Amino acid sequence: MKGVRRTGRAGRHRRAGRTDVVVVTGASAGVGRATARAFGARGAAVALLARGRGALERAAEEVREAGGRALPLVVDVADAEAVEAAAAAVEEELGPIDVWVNAAFTTVFAPVAEVRPEELRRATEVTYFGFVHGTQAALRRMVPRDRGTIVQVGSALAQRSVPLQSVYCGAKHAIQGFTAALRCELLHDRSGVRVTMVQMPGLNTPQFGWVLSRLPRHPRPVAPVYQPEVAAEGVLHAADHPRRREYWVGGSTVATLLAQKAAPALLDRYLARTGYDSQQTDAPADPSRPVNLWQPVDDAAGADHGAHGLFDDEAHPRSLQFWLSRHRLPLALGAAAAAVLAGSAAERTGTRRSPRGRTTRRR
């Protein structure tokens, strides 16, 4: 099949009660890697799609070690025919696809005037069209069965752009619009297929070590930074509860998107002052650093960057905001129950019986 290369045999183990077949694009590193591993821990059969053969093999081993089955496929998501062939291979070897997670991307860190046309085209083909190709391949299989879930890994930058990331912001905005249109179509058709989007905060992924950058200093995620496992938790929750149109992960995502709704012009000025320094470390850029825009940097055996990047020292392993978001209904019910109990207690405290048995109020 064109554009698809199997890199190993699917594992055999699957946990009892979990029969999901899951596809994760961009599965060799970062959020995709952490997400594939998390689905594996559930006992799912996971198809891992990425360009880098070496890291893909190791990611598949992690899925198997976690308790799932793994089918690693070397695929460039910018190639629509290759993605379609990969989807066919997944269903042939693992069965009908239940969940498709689009997470693959590449980008350029540079001011708009310094981004070359071929770089913009390539990054958009991977980051935007890669999501479109994956979504269409999933729909071709899910719609006839009237079931299935598509999870788009988004970003706060899908709704609020920042300087130096016009390429990434443009692609994520496009994904947001594409997904909203698709959601309307599925609702019109009363389809059982669900699509949802998870907006992420700054994450400690390897991309900052290999992204094409023309910045004078080493690029970094905007603080506060979260570990990719936090993002993976958000993806799994969205896959389990896909009726919500989108999820926000991280307090910084909530703050950014609310500020964008309330005062976008003020946020423009704030980011104009802070956006350059907040996206660079103090270390000068290394001109010899690897770049993954055109070719994967984790293709050779042993060239594995894993899920984490360079910012473990400051990255948060969990998000209180997302925990509260996940449990908002029980918390609301608990708060309501507490209010009722408090009111009842106040009522009892505020009344007393007279010696003749009459109830009187304290004044």
Side-chain angles (χ1 to χ4, degrees), residues 280-324:
Q280 300 178 78
T281 69
D282 294 332
D286 179 1
S288 64
R289 65 199 297 272
V291 173
N292 81 329
L293 182 63
W294 306 105
Q295 299 294 333
V297 301
D298 53 2
D299 195 27
D304 180 16
H305 294 262
H308 288 208
L310 305 173
F311 304 96
D312 277 331
D313 290 347
E314 63 176 287
H316 300 288
R318 61 189 60 85
S319 166
L320 176 61
Q321 169 276 329
F322 189 64
W323 185 90
L324 292 172

